[in-house]
Amino acid sequence: MKIRRRDYFSWSQLNAWEKDPNLYYEMYVLGLEAPFTKWMKKGKDLAEYLEKGGDVDDDIKCVADFIPQYKEKEYEIKVEMEGIKLLGYLDSFDPKELNIYEYKTGKKYTQGMANKLGQLDFYALLVYLKYKKLPKSIKLIWIETETNDDVVKFTGKIKTFEVKKTKQDIIKIASRIHKAVKGIKEMWEAIDK
């Protein structure tokens, strides 16, 4: 058995645990690969191009110039919350103004979906813990995709959703983190017996 203990806690860990503790076990204990679809690959290809450039499909090059970006890309934030080490990578971040861009691709995204995205709560918490202030601006940038002949392409439609986060939101995500970490700790105790 391939056991992978992590000394930090991330959004992807929280998301996996809350979806299904068995999924967390498969990914973060056994080290199995997370489900990865062609739509996810398209989003990953775009993110890598925005960060590093390189050779990509023409449709990525066409939309990339229209995607707002800050200078800092894949900005790493490591903080500690009551003994829990937290780690996150913000798609695009302005550390002086505390502004965040988070990129999402897919067929459909709405303001309601953006408002409910726990990942943005997690990132707001990271910024608050590091800078002692809430982010000034959080914007989710949605880049629409379509599938033709089983090939995922960008349509050219890009929409921005402004998301507001409050101290109450970060208190709620902190509570979710504590609950998940407690459950994960109990799982590891059972494994170690």
Side-chain angles (χ1 to χ4, degrees):
M1 179 188 312
K2 181 180 177 185
I3 295 179
R4 298 171 33 175
R5 291 185 189 250
R6 306 238 170 156
D7 68 345
Y8 63 86
F9 194 71
S10 66
W11 164 250
S12 60
Q13 289 173 277
L14 177 62
N15 192 42
W17 180 263
E18 289 182 333
K19 278 184 182 176
D20 181 358
N22 292 319
L23 175 64
Y24 180 92
Y25 178 81
E26 290 171 358
M27 291 172 60
Y28 295 101
V29 177
L30 299 180
L32 301 178
E33 292 294 321
F36 197 73
T37 67
K38 59 187 170 192
W39 297 277
M40 293 166 76
K41 182 181 180 335
K42 192 69 170 183
K44 184 178 180 191
D45 289 348
L46 174 64
E48 287 178 0
Y49 180 75
L50 291 174
E51 182 185 6
K52 302 173 188 170
D55 291 331
V56 290
D57 296 337
D58 288 340
D59 67 322
I60 291 177
K61 290 178 183 175
C62 289
V63 299
D65 288 341
F66 298 98
I67 297 171
Q69 300 176 61
Y70 296 117
K71 183 179 176 187
E72 300 294 336
K73 293 162 188 70
E74 289 298 312
Y75 189 80
E76 179 183 88
I77 297 184
K78 290 181 181 178
V79 292
E80 194 166 310
M81 178 186 74
E82 300 168 14
I84 303 169
K85 294 177 184 175
L86 302 175
L87 172 68
Y89 291 92
L90 285 60
D91 284 347
S92 189
F93 184 60
D94 177 353
K96 287 185 180 177
E97 296 296 321
L98 303 182
N99 296 326
I100 299 170
Y101 285 134
E102 177 64 23
Y103 306 122
K104 294 293 177 195
T105 60
K107 215 173 172 181
K108 179 182 178 184
Y109 229 90
T110 66
Q111 183 68 54
M113 291 167 72
N115 292 342
K116 291 178 185 175
L117 185 62
Q119 185 177 10
L120 298 180
D121 296 308
F122 192 92
Y123 291 167
L125 173 64
L126 295 178
V127 169
Y128 184 79
L129 291 171
K130 181 168 180 158
Y131 297 97
K132 310 301 182 229
K133 295 179 185 176
L134 287 169
K136 286 185 183 177
S137 170
I138 302 174
K139 293 180 180 171
L140 186 143
I141 311 300
W142 168 56
I143 305 101
E144 185 181 50
T145 60
E146 64 184 3
T147 307
N148 291 324
D149 297 326
D150 211 33
V151 175
V152 179
K153 292 280 186 189
F154 291 113
T155 66
K157 181 178 180 179
I158 300 170
K159 191 167 183 180
T160 301
F161 300 103
E162 179 104 27
V163 178
K164 300 287 184 197
K165 295 298 171 189
T166 65
K167 285 187 180 178
Q168 188 64 30
D169 294 319
I170 64 170
I171 289 168
K172 286 179 185 175
I173 194 76
S175 176
R176 288 171 58 189
I177 291 167
H178 279 291
K179 183 178 177 183
V181 167
K182 181 178 184 269
I184 292 165
K185 182 179 177 188
E186 290 169 358
M187 178 199 67
W188 278 111
E189 288 170 357
I191 291 169
D192 290 339
K193 284 185 181 179

